[in-house]
Amino acid sequence: MKRTWTIIGVADVAQSFKWYQSLFGQSGTLPAHDYFGQILDVDGTVLLCLHKWGVHEHPSLISPDGAKPGNGLLLFFRVDDFEEALLRARAMVTVLEEEPHANPNTGTEEFALCDPDGYCVMISALGAA
């Protein structure tokens, strides 16, 4: 098995950590460090890594000033609690980037919102409607 660990640059790891935990309906915990945290699924699978901008001199994580954060990146998550995730998302943002709709390619319901750093987050139902 091979898995990716998607790492995004964020301004405030603790704030983003709390935001993603809220979106996914997870219990609130603190990230391991003030500069890095991993959002984990219940089985320990890494869903997303949050890395503070400018720490450790990773070339693409030096600063958000080089390009708009998220340019060319879509964070796409499939969830098994789509309706609940939609309710949580609506409570977190004033407007969704995309209202719920059926994706004609996957046959699943999905919606999109932006996280605190401007990344586009797509939430898709795990199974077809």
Side-chain angles (χ1 to χ4, degrees), residues 3-124:
R3 297 186 182 191
T4 61
W5 278 14
T6 301
I7 302 172
I8 60 172
V10 298
D12 184 324
V13 172
Q15 176 191 13
S16 292
F17 204 78
K18 182 177 179 179
W19 192 90
Y20 279 97
Q21 286 179 324
S22 295
L23 180 62
F24 296 141
Q26 297 175 330
S27 299
T29 59
L30 295 174
H33 308 279
D34 63 350
Y35 58 86
F36 184 79
Q38 294 178 323
I39 303 296
L40 304 175
D41 203 350
V42 294
D43 66 357
T45 299
V46 175
L47 300 173
L48 183 65
C49 299
L50 308 169
H51 197 292
K52 185 169 180 64
W53 287 110
V55 177
H56 298 130
E57 300 178 9
H58 297 303
S60 62
L61 295 172
I62 296 296
S63 169
D65 298 331
K68 181 180 175 188
N71 184 35
L73 173 69
L74 174 62
L75 297 171
F76 191 95
F77 297 98
R78 300 188 71 204
V79 299
D80 57 5
D81 64 344
F82 182 82
E83 293 300 326
E84 292 86 357
L86 177 58
L87 291 173
R88 292 189 300 266
R90 288 195 188 281
M92 296 169 64
V93 298
T94 55
V95 64
L96 295 176
E97 294 299 308
E98 289 185 24
E99 287 291 326
H101 63 278
N103 180 320
N105 297 314
T106 62
T108 58
E109 288 290 309
E110 62 187 32
F111 65 87
L113 67 162
C114 287
D115 81 356
D117 289 278
Y119 292 97
C120 185
V121 180
M122 181 70 70
I123 301 295
S124 176

